Every structure is written in C-alpha cells, then in structure tokens.
Amino acid sequence: MSSLSRELVFLILQFLDEEKFKETVHKLEQESGFFFNMKYFEDEVHNGNWDEVEKYLSGFTKVDDNRYSMKIFFEIRKQKYLEALDKHDRSKAVEILVKDLKVFATFNEELFKEITQLLTLENFRENEQLSKYGDTKSARAIMLVELKKLIEANPLFRDKLQFPNLKNSRLRTLINQSLNWQHQLCKNPRPNPDIKTLFVDHSCGQPNGARAPSPANNPLLGSLPKAGGFPPLGAHGPFQPTPAPVPAPLAGWMSNPSTVTHPAVSGGGAIGLGASSIPAALKHPRTPPTNPSVDYPPGDTDHVSKRTRPMGISDEVNLPVNVLPVTFPGHGHSQTFNAPDDLPKTVARTLNQGSSPMSMDFNPNQPTLLLVGTNVGEIALWEVGSRERLVLKNFRVWDLSACSMPLQAALAKDPAVSVNRVIWNHPDGSLFGVAYSRHIVQIYSYHGGDDVRQHLEIDAHVGGVNDLAFSHPNKQLCVITCGDDKTIKVWDASTGAKQYTFEGHEAPVYSVCPHYKENIQFIFSTAVDGKIKAWLYDNMGSRVDYEAPGRWCTTMAYSADGTRLFSCGTSKDGESYIVEWNESEGAVKRTYQGFRKRSLGVVQFDTTKNRYLAAGDDFSIKFWDMDNVQPLTSIDADGGLPASPRIRFNKDGSLLAVSANDNGIKILVNSDGMRLLRTFENLSYDASRASEAPKPTINPISAAAAAAAAAAAAAAATSAGITDRSASVVAIAAMNGDARSLGDVKPRITEESSDKSKIWKLTEISEPSQCRSLRLPENLRVTKISRLIFTNSGNAILALASNAIHLLWKWQRSDRNTIGKATASVPPQLWQPSSGILMTNDVADTNPEEAVPCFALSKNDSYVMSASGGKISLFNMMTFKTMATFMPPPPAATFLAFHPQDNNIIAIGMDDSTIQIYNVRVDEVKSKLKGHSKRITGLAFSHVLNVLVSSGADSQLCVWNTDGWEKQKARFLQVSAGRTPTAQSDTRVQFHQDQIHFLVVHETQLAIYETTKLECLKQWVPRESSAPITHATFSCDSQLVYASLLDATVCVFWAVNLRLCCRINPSAYLPASVSSNVHPLVIAAHPSEPNGFALGLSDGGVVVFEPLESENKWGIRPPVENGSASSVAATPSVGAPGPEKA
C-alpha cells in the first residue's frame, strides 16, 4: 500500500472515532494492521474479553511470528487458564489446555507437563511459582504490564503504537478543500452553492455571473473546528501550470525547476493518492492544482495485503525457547528501555588538542585515525589507538597571491581563522578537506602515518565557508562547499575547477548533504533562515523549499545504508530538534524527544549502525534508537563536557569522539571499540620491542584499518604482529559466514612453556580416556555430515547432511549443565518440532550427494540460509518452516555468508565462479563479483576492514571492498612441489578475531594471511607422506587452530605460529568396530569455549570434544623460537625460509 493510501486509512480511523463508530474503528485497526490501539487492548484485557483480545492481536502478529509474539499469546492463554482453575471450572480449563496451550508444548514439553499438573491441585497457588497469584483483577493488571513491554519490544509493532498527530476532522477539511477547488473551477460559479453529493465532482448550475464564496462551512458537511478550516480563496493566488513529473526517488521532495527566479513555492501538480511521482500533493497547500478531482487509486493496484510481510530477516533478540513459566529465565526487554551494549559509552582515551575542537571525522578505512579542526585554525591527525598526534598544522594560506582581494584584505585586518568543518572523502579516505571561517577550503592528500600533503586550495566563498562534503556525481570526485555568500558550489576534486554554483538561498548556507537514490545524484542544503533546498547537478535551480524545525542552524545526515534521512537543528531561542524525514513526501516522519528546554549553543548530531542517533546536548551525549522517539540513554562521559559537545562516530560505530572542556577530546568505546584499541596497543607494543625495526609506515589501501596498517607495518619488523602476550577479541567471521562477538580473552603463557629448562613435547592423545568426547545421538540415518556449526548462543549444534537434511542437537539445562551449553559431558537431544517436519533443502534435479552443500546462520540463531545444489532455502530455526526459497540453479550456490552489519545482505558464492551480493528483503541481486575461474569455496567478511575475502576451487584468494564491491587484490595459493591438489580441492577462509588476519585452509596447507597486503605470514604444510587436510577452523578466541585430516587425525595448532601442540589420533574417538575409511569432513569451534570443538564425520556421525577437566587445555605451548616469542607477523612470507612441516 502506498504511503498516502496508508495515511488515508489513518484519516478514516480518525473520522470513525469522531463519529463514535467504536466497533468499526477497532475492526479497521485490526484489518489494516497500521495502528495498534494500546488503550483498547488494555480495556479488553482488564475486562477479560480473551477472544476479542486474541482476534485484535491477530491483525498484527501470529503466535509463531517471533518469540515476543509467542510470549504475548502464552501470557494471555495462561491467564485465561488460571482464571478457569480459580473458578474451579475444570472442563473449561481442560479445553483451554488442549486448544490454546498445547501449541507451546512443542518448545518446552516439561513446562507444559508442569502447567498440566495444576489440574490436579485443589488450589493452583500450592505451586510455588504461583503462590503469589492474587485475585483476577490484580493478576490481569500485572500481566498487562508485561504484555505492554513485550509489544513495545516486538519489531512487528514498530511504528504501529503511535497515532499520527492530526488536526481535528482532517478528512472533513480535505473534502472541503477539494469542494472549494472544484467550485473555483466552475465556469459560472454561484454564490452559496448547494452541494448535495460527494459522489461526483461539484459543478454549479445556471450562470449568474457572481463569484462564489467558499463552501468550506457548508452545513451539509457540518461545522469544522477553526484550526482545521480552509484558508480564504485569496491565499491561493492564481493557478499555475502543471509541470512535468520529477524523477521518482525525489518526487516527494522536489518539484520541477521553475522558469522564474526561484519562487517561494514551486508549481504544483495533480493530486493523486497513489501517484508517488507527483509532488504537488506533498507541498505546502498554497497552490491549487489544475486537476479538479481527488484520484483515489483502485484498491487492487497498490494495496498489498498486510499479511504479505517483507521477507527481510529481523534482528530480534534471540530469546530462550522455554516459554511457559510465569517468568521466563533469561528473558528481558531491557533492550527497549536501557542503553544497548553496542553503544560506545565507556571513556577509553582523553586527548589534549591544545585548542577547542570545532569539527572531527574518523577515517573511513582506518577506524582509529581521527581528524580534528579547531577554533584557531589548527588541524590535527590523531592515532587514537596509540594516543599519538601524528600531524599538527596551523592555518596559513598556501598561495596568498592567488587569493581574491577581499580575502587578502580580511586577513590583513584580522588574521584569526577558525575551522568550520573537517571531513574525509569516502570510501577510500585518501583525501580530507578543511573548511575555514574565511573564504578558504584546503584539500590535503593522505599517504599514511604522518604523511599529509597539500593537494588543493580553493578561494571558495566570500565570507566564511560553513560546510564541506565530497561527492561522486558521474563517478567523478567533487568537493561541495557552502558559505556566508548564500551559495553552494561544486568543485572538481582533482583540479579545483568550479563546476556548478547554486543560488537561491536568501540567507547564509549552513550545511550541505550530498546523496544519491537509484541513479539520481542530488544535494540537500540548509540555510540559517531554516530553509531546506535540494539541487541536482545542473543549473536549473532548487527543487525544494521547505522549512526545517527550529528555522535556524540545521544539519542533515543519512543513515549508514542511505535509506533514512534525519536533520538536527536549533532555533535562535535554543529549542533543539532531531527529526526523521519521509523522503517520498517531504514531510517530517517523527520528531525525537528529550532535549534540554533551552540548548546552550547549536546542537550537533551523528548517526551510526543504521540504528542509532546521538546528539551533544545539556553537557552530555544523548542517544536514540531511530525507531523510537524517546531517548535510549544519556551519558556525561565522566563529566567535563561543554554544553553542546561536538560528536563523531567512526564508521562501524565502535568509537565516538566527543569534544571536552579544556581543549580536550574524549574517545568513548563499546566492547568492539575497546578490543580494537587493545589490538592496536598490543601491535604497537610488540613493534616497539624490535629495536632495529624500521619506523612503521602506513600503506593505506581502500578498507585498511589503522590496526591493519600497524599490523602490516609490524610485519616488516623482525618480531612484531600478533603475539602470544594477549589476544583482543573483536569478532569471528566463522567459516560458514556468520559473525560472533566475544568477550575479551587474555590467555597467559603457561609456566611449563615459559620454563626453558623443561623439554617441550608434543601431546599425543590415542586413548578415549585422555580426552572427553561424545558422539551425538542419531535416529535419522544420514550418509555423511557436509557442514557443521555451533549456534551463536552455544547451546546447540546444527549440521547439514549430504542428503540435504539438517540436524539440530540442543543441550537442555540440568543439574549437570546449569547453563545449557554444548558440552561433551552431557548428551543433547536431537531436536524436532512437534509437527515432525525436517529442514530439507531443495535438491532440484541433482543428486544431493554430488552437490556442494552450504549454509549460514544468522547472528541471533533465528534463521538458517542453506542450499544443497538446488534453490537456496531460508528456514525458521524455531519451527523448521521454510520461509522462502530463491535463486534456482543454474548457477547453484556453493557458499553463503551473512553481511556482519545487515542480516538482509548475503554474499552467495556460485558454482559458475561468481559471487552475488543479494538483498533478501527486496529480493534483488545488488552486485555480481567476477574474479575467480572456478566455483567459490569460501567467503568471509571483515567488519573492521569493510572487505569480503573470497576463495575458490581455483586456489585463488580475492579481496573485495564492501562499499563499492570493487576487487582490491588477488593472489594464488603457493602449493609446494610434489603436492598436487585434487580437482575438487576446496579453499576455505576465516577471519582471525582481530578481523585483519585470516586463516586459509587447503588440503595441502594451512596459512595465515594479512588482508591489506594479501601476504602469507605463516604456513604449515603436512609432510608428503601425511594425509591431506579436510577442514580447519580457529578456536573462538583465535588462539588455536583445529584441523582434521583425511586419516581421521585431528591436529591442534597454536595460531600465533602454526606450531603443532596436540595430535588426537582416531583411536581416541573412533571405536575399533568403525570402518577405517571413516574420517572427519568438517570441524566446528565452540563459540564461547576456546577448547571445545566438534567433528562431522563421513559416516554421518557428529563428535564433540573437550580436554580433560584436569588438563583444561590441548597440550603445552611450543617453546619460543630463536629466543623470542614467535608471531604471525614476525614470520617471513612463504617465499622466504621454508614452511613448518609435521
């Protein structure tokens, strides 16, 4: 349904409510699913009208939509059941138990048995959990509090809990306006026209030569409130010609360029509730259209049933599945009301700039590199990780003779200059621009480290240059500036040549915001009179004339994915506003609450993660969820902030720079940011230990993080890189494509390994008694396990068998396993829903045993994407239902990986050697990457470097930039002489926890690569007489590498140097009765236990491993090499001295 048709439903709801059609109002709310009336819902719950409560809910959600919905329905049915028991109506209670509550037995049978046993009690309050149950009224009130929290947290109710803010009788007002316009169009308008019907357009009868007054208050329609009345006819002015339609993406914002000098209101067009490309209906109602009718679109053209929800994957919280007790263990809704953990709230650094910061920007590819401009014209470049100020430059004009006379005169009179804006160019961060308070813009090129060079100096505006941005119209890098001279200008970023000047603002231009939609490039601009205008890259004038809330200093910004537009502004009286705009209509969609009554200074804001907004206000930083107008939280960063601090996120939202008092800058971090800084500290520390090492230099490539640059530099040193001292955990991009965040892990060198007097010995495990292993129960016969993964929660294992069937083992909580984690000590249950269905992939016409299976698990464990040679299937992990199938072969999918920041973006490797970047929500391939010559066998994302690494059966590695999906580097594996890989040999890739190095797994070798240079830092090659490698993976903390071999041996390596520390022989876990041909095909690491892993076997079995409790580790760390701790980066590339062999 189009946006305007949706709004029409709201107008009808308002009309029905005003006319007291109460039942009809709620019926329409339910059938449309647009507005959930919490007041009505509360009344029905208080009254115990359970059938109506569930019927009303059914318009918005079903029981199995998600876990919030399941909990909502369970609470209601449980209350209904308890009330029947309280009335001693056993037959009614049994009926509710069988018809309503049995559906929940699928998810927790034990709990269902417990609630069934309440029937045997004389008073259910004898049950300890229900002992505090009061009377019916109080119980309903308590339940209602819980229900409201669940509804507010449920993503299906997002944007449906607040009715739009409408003036009274808005529908009547619109009808009267329409009649007024129709009357104006009468050839012979009569005074006091008699309007008897709305079914056809109004037309006056016999001419009488008189100009009619407005029929807006015609008695037929009833009196209108004064506020909703229609303005006098004279306010509309003459009719204007209807312009041609505007490109659709900007239709709501932009009218066509006017032939006269920028009028206050552009010409209108026809009103059409279903026509998204017509702007007139969206403009201020000052210019009547030439079309006399309101065109209601036919219902079957744009009305999609609300039940046809988009196929997008929700980011809902993965709640536990035990859904029956009065309070759910582990269940909470705090994410709705408390500050989420992924917001940067902890002060990790305090930098002393020396003058007051005015503008800051992090490099898009080096997430710890911060650019700062100050109130005295200084610019500085900080490496936040090491607290080092790399560059400090004072303002000076590079070529005074080339400057205009007004600038020369102004500087001679008063040389004081402030920086108004600093900004990097995106996406590669190789240039940055500085806008000064006097005429000048300077562009610098950045070459790594402290190497900053002058690139361009532009005498851009008369007066101050208030803002600066980079843009890429027609794939050409441009610089956009705006200034006190009321203009916006576009400059060639290579030559400094002026390309466009946009005139039309009547006040100094305060900010610019370039963007693009589809193939249309445009620029928003705001002026200090509160006007918002929009420009295409032409000389046709502005397409928009809107007023920003506050009508003074306003900045605009898009969410990171470019789909949502926000503005933040402060009025001259100190009233501050952050709003989200409805781009299709040019209207404010929502206004965020929580600002100080009178802000002291102009409030600055920023966005991050496509989810959060932040603003500096009231001596603090305030955060909002983009979908909730109420603030999430406010933090003061340990105090010492100015009234309206300047703020800036880095690209992935893990760091937040905040200006502080006394010329300071505070760096706030979330857990990922803390690990990023620690990674840098560790790399820097180890690099400093190499006294003869050359000074690290940063060689920036697109998507190279600062930590990556430090690591790459350290690789040139003799003993730098990833050391055994400490491991910082950022996230593991697992071999199947999902990303996991982990706690900080700092393993220590054991006493045994550090004591050089002791002789190190490889640990050999040959007996079952030497380790803990558990073969998981089987009741489905499968031939072999092709893919294997632990769920991110760590309480289950998912396998994909070669016959296209998925197997899911779940560990339950018990006395022996209190947290329900996957372990070799307690057997799990091979789980199936009560429906008995299996998650089975489409196999098309292929033999699934010959297909290349693949799957990827979403971060919240709610969905699995999977393929076995046929279509890709999307399964609900809770119900096993197939939610969708797509992409029928050929080509067939051979590897799947979820984008780490967006569950709806999937990288799909194909058997035709291409990689398709697919958006699930819109069912569209966004990009097709070509670089391999054989099928894709591995994909891994780095959210720190913003790259995708791919591997193929061609033994080639490729690195792709995830911003534009360009290929950055490619390299073939080096295969030792005498080791000829088979034609079907797979190459797998997996990122280290630092997201900078990655593991390469091939049947002939294991290798560690550094991503930015795509260099092999360490390699392990089996001896020629040894069996080939079948699979390998990092442990969850990236300290170990687990590898399985074709002879059923499992090898455990220290990742830091790929030294073998433990070997598990087949006799330790395979009974003698098992065929000697049985071997592991795939290996998976436990997501939270570094010493836990599992094998998927060629006979269909799955075995979970852990070391003995007395040992709690796999072997002893190998001794140091050459007198110093060996490290990944310290090792020469493979071409140097020979690789390790075993």
Side-chain angles (χ1 to χ4, degrees):
M1 179 178 281
S2 73
S3 180
L4 288 181
S5 297
R6 176 186 172 94
E7 291 189 1
L8 179 59
V9 173
F10 281 109
L11 297 182
I12 294 170
L13 285 170
Q14 183 195 43
F15 172 79
L16 292 172
D17 186 60
E18 290 173 342
E19 297 298 316
K20 309 300 182 188
F21 292 107
K22 294 300 183 184
E23 289 186 12
T24 310
V25 168
H26 303 312
K27 182 69 174 175
L28 181 56
E29 289 167 353
Q30 176 215 324
E31 288 194 340
S32 68
F34 290 164
F35 173 61
F36 185 83
N37 190 324
M38 189 69 83
K39 178 65 170 63
Y40 172 69
F41 180 75
E42 289 177 18
D43 291 343
E44 294 302 299
V45 170
H46 278 305
N47 294 330
N49 296 330
W50 304 121
D51 290 344
E52 176 58 27
V53 166
E54 289 211 20
K55 184 178 178 182
Y56 188 69
L57 273 173
S58 69
F60 303 88
T61 184
K62 302 189 297 294
V63 174
D64 59 355
D65 275 347
N66 60 41
R67 296 177 183 186
Y68 296 103
S69 300
M70 183 176 293
K71 177 89 159 82
I72 291 168
F73 280 96
F74 170 73
E75 287 294 331
I76 291 168
R77 295 175 183 181
K78 182 191 70 180
Q79 180 62 28
K80 183 166 61 167
Y81 175 68
L82 294 178
E83 289 183 15
L85 289 177
D86 212 20
K87 296 176 183 175
H88 301 287
D89 189 343
R90 299 296 170 126
S91 60
K92 180 68 174 176
V94 170
E95 181 184 349
I96 295 168
L97 189 69
V98 173
K99 289 185 177 179
D100 295 337
L101 288 170
K102 190 166 177 55
V103 65
F104 301 105
T106 305
F107 308 102
N108 196 319
E109 192 169 350
E110 289 301 315
L111 244 31
F112 179 73
K113 288 178 181 177
E114 184 177 343
I115 207 167
T116 303
Q117 288 170 359
L118 297 179
L119 285 168
T120 65
L121 303 177
E122 183 65 27
N123 185 338
F124 63 79
R125 293 172 182 82
E126 296 171 22
N127 182 290
E128 184 179 351
Q129 289 182 313
L130 298 173
S131 60
K132 295 182 180 179
Y133 184 95
D135 58 14
T136 297
K137 184 177 180 180
S138 63
R140 289 175 182 174
I142 292 169
M143 177 189 67
L144 198 50
V145 173
E146 176 74 0
L147 291 181
K148 289 174 71 174
K149 290 181 181 179
L150 286 164
I151 290 168
E152 289 166 353
N154 193 327
L156 295 179
F157 289 81
R158 194 169 291 164
D159 298 329
K160 297 180 180 180
L161 299 177
Q162 199 163 4
F163 198 84
N165 187 17
L166 304 175
K167 291 183 178 179
N168 292 338
S169 304
R170 179 62 182 156
L171 185 59
R172 287 180 176 276
T173 302
L174 290 174
I175 292 172
N176 277 303
Q177 289 174 352
S178 174
L179 293 173
N180 193 354
W181 293 334
Q182 292 173 34
H183 185 59
Q184 280 188 317
L185 296 174
C186 291
K187 293 182 179 179
N188 302 295
R190 297 169 55 187
N192 302 315
D194 185 14
I195 298 176
K196 295 182 177 178
T197 181
L198 299 177
F199 292 163
V200 295
D201 290 349
H202 161 71
S203 179
C204 289
Q206 296 299 320
N208 59 9
R211 184 70 178 168
S214 168
N217 290 321
N218 186 292
L220 174 72
L221 297 176
S223 60
L224 294 174
K226 197 166 185 179
F230 188 65
L233 292 174
H236 292 278
F239 294 118
Q240 305 209 6
T242 303
V246 191
L250 296 180
W253 281 91
M254 299 191 172
S255 59
N256 274 34
S258 175
T259 55
V260 298
T261 306
H262 198 71
V265 180
S266 304
I271 293 181
L273 293 183
S276 63
S277 63
I278 300 174
L282 313 175
K283 305 290 286 180
H284 299 297
R286 290 182 283 206
T287 308
T290 55
N291 183 352
S293 65
V294 178
D295 177 22
Y296 288 80
D300 57 355
T301 58
D302 65 349
H303 188 299
V304 179
S305 166
K306 65 183 175 61
R307 279 293 170 205
T308 311
R309 293 193 176 96
M311 200 184 74
I313 298 177
S314 159
D315 284 324
E316 67 190 62
V317 176
N318 185 30
L319 299 176
V321 295
N322 50 326
V323 292
L324 286 176
V326 177
T327 58
F328 281 30
H331 188 299
H333 308 287
S334 59
Q335 68 274 16
T336 308
F337 306 104
N338 299 328
D341 292 336
D342 50 353
L343 286 176
K345 305 186 291 290
T346 304
V347 177
R349 299 282 189 275
T350 300
L351 313 175
N352 183 13
Q353 175 57 41
S355 51
S356 180
M358 299 297 290
S359 178
M360 299 175 290
D361 196 27
F362 281 97
N363 186 285
N365 298 317
Q366 302 186 35
T368 58
L369 191 63
L370 178 66
L371 176 65
V372 180
T374 78
N375 64 335
V376 297
E378 290 179 346
I379 58 168
L381 201 56
W382 288 87
E383 175 41 68
V384 172
S386 63
R387 300 178 175 86
E388 181 184 1
R389 185 162 58 188
L390 304 173
V391 174
L392 178 64
K393 290 184 178 293
N394 296 315
F395 171 75
R396 69 176 181 84
V397 177
W398 299 345
D399 185 359
L400 191 60
S401 63
C403 294
S404 63
M405 291 307 297
L407 173 58
Q408 294 185 44
L411 289 175
K413 183 178 179 180
D414 181 6
V417 172
S418 172
V419 172
N420 283 337
R421 174 78 158 173
V422 293
I423 191 169
W424 292 95
N425 75 314
H426 288 248
D428 65 1
S430 60
L431 297 174
F432 65 83
V434 187
Y436 292 98
S437 60
R438 299 291 186 87
H439 293 241
I440 288 284
V441 167
Q442 292 178 340
I443 309 296
Y444 290 85
S445 60
Y446 178 60
H447 302 270
D450 58 359
D451 189 358
V452 171
R453 305 173 192 173
Q454 297 176 0
H455 177 65
L456 276 179
E457 184 173 63
I458 304 171
D459 189 348
H461 295 271
V462 178
V465 184
N466 295 322
D467 201 7
L468 165 79
F470 289 95
S471 183
H472 294 79
N474 304 317
K475 298 185 178 180
Q476 177 185 8
L477 183 62
C478 293
V479 179
I480 303 166
T481 63
C482 65
D484 288 344
D485 57 5
K486 307 176 186 177
T487 64
I488 300 103
K489 297 180 182 180
V490 181
W491 315 83
D492 186 303
S494 298
T495 65
K498 184 166 62 178
Q499 296 181 326
Y500 301 100
T501 299
F502 300 137
E503 297 178 335
H505 277 291
E506 298 173 359
V509 185
Y510 183 73
S511 71
V512 288
C513 176
H515 196 56
Y516 67 92
K517 287 275 184 172
E518 297 177 8
N519 295 320
I520 299 171
Q521 302 267 353
F522 55 93
I523 305 165
F524 282 117
S525 63
T526 70
V528 296
D529 59 359
K531 295 290 187 186
I532 298 175
K533 297 184 185 294
W535 319 80
L536 299 179
Y537 290 86
D538 56 27
N539 293 306
M540 304 297 287
S542 169
R543 270 54 171 193
V544 155
D545 184 15
Y546 277 92
E547 290 185 345
R551 301 185 183 181
W552 193 39
C553 297
T554 296
T555 53
M556 306 185 81
Y558 276 88
S559 56
D561 59 7
T563 60
R564 302 174 70 171
L565 176 63
F566 304 88
S567 72
C568 174
T570 302
S571 73
K572 292 180 180 178
D573 297 327
E575 294 284 345
S576 292
Y577 305 86
I578 292 183
V579 301
E580 181 178 4
W581 292 88
N582 185 328
E583 280 189 277
S584 65
E585 301 176 18
V588 171
K589 182 177 180 180
R590 55 169 61 87
T591 300
Y592 297 89
Q593 312 295 320
F595 282 106
R596 177 189 173 102
K597 292 295 184 184
R598 290 287 183 269
S599 297
L600 304 173
V602 177
V603 169
Q604 305 289 317
F605 87 126
D606 201 3
T607 72
T608 186
K609 292 179 177 283
N610 299 320
R611 181 177 175 188
Y612 300 118
L613 299 165
D617 177 54
D618 196 17
F619 306 94
S620 64
I621 305 106
K622 296 177 179 178
F623 295 95
W624 290 263
D625 185 300
M626 289 179 177
D627 296 320
N628 191 335
V629 298
Q630 297 301 325
L632 275 172
T633 189
S634 175
I635 57 175
D636 65 1
D638 300 338
L641 300 187
S644 298
R646 315 276 172 163
I647 65 170
R648 193 69 169 173
F649 287 104
N650 70 346
K651 186 174 180 179
D652 67 359
S654 61
L655 306 181
L656 176 63
V658 182
S659 64
N661 293 333
D662 300 324
N663 304 326
I665 301 168
K666 295 192 177 189
I667 305 299
L668 278 59
V669 300
N670 61 13
S671 55
D672 284 347
M674 183 63 77
R675 293 170 194 135
L676 181 65
L677 298 188
R678 286 176 179 166
T679 299
F680 195 98
E681 286 175 344
N682 295 336
L683 294 169
S684 301
Y685 170 78
D686 291 311
S688 69
R689 293 192 304 170
S691 58
E692 298 180 4
K695 180 180 179 180
T697 59
I698 298 177
N699 178 24
I701 67 166
S702 180
T718 56
S719 61
I722 304 175
T723 73
D724 51 16
R725 291 179 59 252
S726 150
S728 65
V729 182
V730 179
I732 291 179
M735 299 291 268
N736 69 344
D738 65 328
R740 296 178 172 138
S741 294
L742 301 168
D744 191 46
V745 180
K746 291 193 174 182
R748 299 293 178 185
I749 300 176
T750 61
E751 182 181 346
E752 294 94 329
S753 62
S754 60
D755 185 352
K756 297 180 182 178
S757 66
K758 297 186 178 180
I759 299 174
W760 177 82
K761 184 180 179 182
L762 172 69
T763 300
E764 293 269 4
I765 295 178
S766 301
E767 299 294 331
S769 60
Q770 293 178 290
C771 68
R772 287 180 290 171
S773 66
L774 172 68
R775 184 168 177 129
L776 303 190
E778 311 159 29
N779 54 23
L780 289 170
R781 193 63 249 161
V782 294
T783 53
K784 61 184 179 181
I785 301 298
S786 301
R787 295 291 178 266
L788 189 71
I789 187 175
F790 285 82
T791 58
N792 295 286
S793 61
N795 61 9
I797 287 180
L798 177 68
L800 172 57
S802 59
N803 61 355
I805 293 176
H806 297 78
L807 307 172
L808 180 65
W809 288 272
K810 288 186 178 182
W811 275 260
Q812 303 295 326
R813 290 177 179 164
S814 66
D815 293 340
R816 293 178 60 199
N817 189 11
T818 56
I819 59 174
K821 73 171 183 179
T823 175
S825 302
V826 179
Q829 173 190 2
L830 182 58
W831 193 84
Q832 271 185 278
S834 60
S835 62
I837 64 173
L838 298 171
M839 287 191 289
T840 307
N841 280 334
D842 172 71
V843 294
D845 298 325
T846 62
N847 178 356
E849 299 286 344
E850 297 174 358
V852 179
C854 53
F855 67 11
L857 188 63
S858 66
K859 286 180 287 187
N860 58 12
D861 295 335
S862 295
Y863 311 94
V864 63
M865 194 84 66
S866 185
S868 296
K871 296 178 186 176
I872 300 172
S873 300
L874 177 65
F875 295 101
N876 184 316
M877 284 277 286
M878 191 164 59
T879 63
F880 283 16
K881 290 181 180 177
T882 305
M883 300 173 63
T885 57
F886 49 94
M887 286 202 173
T894 55
F895 206 91
L896 299 165
F898 281 103
H899 192 289
Q901 270 96 33
D902 188 347
N903 263 350
N904 291 297
I905 303 296
I906 304 166
I908 306 174
M910 295 293 190
D911 63 4
D912 68 351
S913 80
T914 64
I915 302 165
Q916 300 195 19
I917 308 302
Y918 177 71
N919 189 315
V920 180
R921 189 178 296 279
V922 298
D923 189 20
E924 181 181 344
V925 175
K926 294 294 187 181
S927 295
K928 184 177 285 190
L929 314 183
K930 297 180 179 179
H932 290 275
S933 60
K934 294 183 180 179
R935 62 183 170 84
I936 305 302
T937 59
L939 296 168
F941 282 97
S942 167
H943 70 262
V944 168
L945 299 181
N946 293 314
V947 297
L948 170 69
V949 173
S950 62
S951 58
D954 55 2
S955 300
Q956 185 181 194
L957 306 173
C958 295
V959 179
W960 313 83
N961 184 312
T962 57
D963 291 323
W965 300 109
E966 304 94 354
K967 184 163 74 169
Q968 292 182 330
K969 287 187 177 294
R971 184 160 296 184
F972 284 92
L973 291 183
Q974 300 183 25
V975 179
S976 302
R979 277 274 177 185
T980 305
T982 63
Q984 295 299 313
S985 180
D986 287 354
T987 306
R988 295 292 175 86
V989 288
Q990 179 191 13
F991 267 99
H992 186 278
Q993 63 184 14
D994 66 7
Q995 296 281 286
I996 295 162
H997 301 83
F998 63 90
L999 172 69
V1000 175
V1001 182
H1002 186 264
E1003 67 175 41
T1004 66
Q1005 63 186 273
L1006 302 176
I1008 303 290
Y1009 276 73
E1010 192 278 333
T1011 309
T1012 60
K1013 293 182 179 180
L1014 202 53
E1015 285 185 352
C1016 180
L1017 304 178
K1018 194 70 179 175
Q1019 186 187 46
W1020 179 84
V1021 177
R1023 298 186 184 279
E1024 292 182 14
S1025 59
S1026 299
I1029 300 165
T1030 60
H1031 200 228
T1033 182
F1034 276 124
S1035 61
C1036 65
D1037 61 359
S1038 294
Q1039 294 297 296
L1040 303 174
V1041 173
Y1042 299 112
S1044 57
L1045 275 62
L1046 192 61
D1047 62 3
T1049 300
V1050 179
C1051 295
V1052 184
F1053 301 84
W1054 282 102
V1056 73
N1057 52 15
L1058 286 185
R1059 288 288 303 274
L1060 184 62
C1061 63
C1062 179
R1063 182 159 46 213
I1064 304 172
N1065 294 305
S1067 55
Y1069 69 95
L1070 292 177
S1073 58
V1074 171
S1075 165
S1076 60
N1077 293 328
V1078 173
H1079 60 273
L1081 294 173
V1082 63
I1083 191 165
H1086 195 291
S1088 58
E1089 294 294 330
N1091 291 304
F1093 67 93
L1095 299 178
L1097 304 180
S1098 57
D1099 67 350
V1102 173
V1103 182
V1104 178
F1105 287 84
E1106 290 172 335
L1108 294 175
E1109 284 185 304
S1110 58
E1111 299 288 336
N1112 203 30
K1113 61 182 182 293
W1114 297 109
I1116 300 172
R1117 191 183 188 101
V1120 296
E1121 299 174 2
N1122 302 323
S1124 65
S1126 173
S1127 68
V1128 169
T1131 308
S1133 60
V1134 178
E1140 293 286 335
K1141 290 196 176 186

